[in-house]
Amino acid sequence: MDQRSIGFLDSGLGGISVLSEALRQLPDENYIYFGDTLNAPYGDKDPQEVFRLTHQAVDKLIAMDCKAIVIACNTATSCAAGQLRQELSLPIIGLEPALKPASLLPGEGKILVMATHNTLRLPKFQALMQLYGKDALPVPCPGLMECVERGQLEGEEVDHLLRSILSPFLNEPVKAVVLGCTHYPFLRRAIARFFPENVPLIDGNAGAIRQLKRRLTEENLLGNHPFGGSVTFLSSSEDEAAVRRMQSMLRG
Ligand code: DGL
């Protein structure tokens, strides 16, 4: 039993989609969520810089006595998770585009993998493509995380941007869509409109939290706060409005 907090980080609001799943699967834990709003977005930054920023965020969460870290960002995971696991002994859980489960689905058609430019071009995703990418088409989505950060989850502007991103990929049948950035589950409704109803939109959130639960169990680190856990939000811009946006995103 360990009552310390679990640390979450992302460039902004995206990781809250992962945090919601954690609250569902592990409701008796305390959480600290750090959004690096000052340095967002991570998707087009130099990977070395994303590594530095991720390391800085992890150090901050460790200084706050976190017992485990969830890098609730596909981009930061691609840039930093491997190296951080070599350096640190606490559990570090990352996110990756859910291409494996998508590739195991029955049916014909392409798998569209929506993610940031960095996630799609770095070796971690290239390795995933080698194993499960036979039918996959990488779809970089510039500008999409910014819609979520602005609170634009539906509407004309979002539709217009999604049309420009997705239309080159809509000429062939699509079997599944992978939401390979933790911001995109917040746009699920807007994205789903571009596909027939039976096309699943898959994210990696439930799998990542199952992995977190497994690691906490194995290492005897599970918490048990009797009246349910708490969530503390922090933002690198130290701006109260950013923290309020995080709170309202979690409430949904
Ligand atoms: N939420 C992040 C991800 O999962 C990245 C968004 C960004 O900072 O570009 O990749």
Side-chain angles (χ1 to χ4, degrees):
M1 192 64 58
D2 190 321
Q3 300 294 59
R4 291 177 298 157
S5 301
I6 300 169
F8 273 62
L9 68 96
D10 180 48
S11 58
L13 299 170
I16 293 172
S17 67
V18 192
L19 178 62
S20 311
E21 179 61 26
L23 287 164
R24 215 179 55 75
Q25 290 192 39
L26 292 164
D28 299 330
E29 299 288 343
N30 281 348
Y31 296 93
I32 301 176
Y33 183 94
F34 175 76
D36 193 6
T37 40
L38 197 61
N39 298 299
Y42 284 177
D44 291 307
K45 275 202 164 58
D46 173 48
Q48 279 304 318
E49 176 65 359
V50 178
F51 170 74
R52 194 185 65 76
L53 293 168
T54 308
H55 205 314
Q56 200 169 282
V58 168
D59 288 346
K60 186 180 175 78
L61 291 165
I62 291 175
M64 295 179 79
D65 203 26
C66 286
K67 61 184 173 183
I69 303 289
V70 178
I71 305 179
C73 173
N74 293 263
T75 310
T77 300
S78 307
C79 295
Q83 178 75 28
L84 287 169
R85 286 189 187 115
Q86 282 179 15
E87 280 181 35
L88 301 165
S89 58
L90 82 176
I92 295 181
I93 309 303
L95 262 290
E96 69 176 23
L99 179 55
K100 180 179 176 184
S103 73
L104 301 174
L105 290 172
E108 297 290 310
K110 295 290 179 195
I111 298 168
L112 305 190
V113 185
M114 300 175 71
T116 68
H117 179 59
N118 268 337
T119 297
L120 296 173
R121 77 189 168 113
L122 288 169
K124 187 169 167 48
F125 181 68
Q126 294 305 320
L128 209 57
M129 280 293 275
Q130 289 290 323
L131 291 171
Y132 307 106
K134 187 172 67 63
D135 300 317
L137 291 175
V139 182
C141 300
L144 209 51
M145 78 76 86
E146 287 85 344
C147 289
V148 177
E149 292 293 318
R150 286 194 298 268
Q152 281 181 314
L153 307 184
E154 285 187 274
E156 232 173 84
E157 228 174 290
V158 179
D159 283 349
H160 182 76
L161 178 61
L162 281 171
R163 188 162 303 114
S164 71
I165 290 170
L166 293 171
S167 48
F169 304 95
L170 298 177
N171 302 324
E172 292 182 72
V174 173
K175 172 168 108 167
V177 178
V178 174
L179 304 177
C181 165
T182 55
H183 281 74
Y184 304 164
F186 291 118
L187 298 164
R188 191 180 285 276
R189 269 220 299 259
I191 296 170
R193 276 193 212 108
F194 286 82
F195 302 96
E197 227 172 279
N198 60 345
V199 173
L201 270 51
I202 305 173
D203 64 55
N205 293 355
I209 300 303
R210 278 197 299 274
Q211 171 69 358
L212 170 65
K213 195 170 178 178
R214 229 176 351 254
R215 289 293 304 279
L216 294 177
T217 308
E218 277 165 14
E219 301 190 26
N220 208 16
L221 290 173
L222 281 169
N224 179 22
H225 291 276
F227 303 107
S230 68
V231 179
T232 304
F233 286 108
L234 303 170
S235 109
S236 54
S237 46
E238 290 181 8
D239 140 20
E240 271 184 39
V243 169
R244 276 198 301 276
R245 277 198 294 279
M246 291 176 185
Q247 288 163 336
S248 75
M249 212 65 175
L250 183 64
R251 283 194 298 268

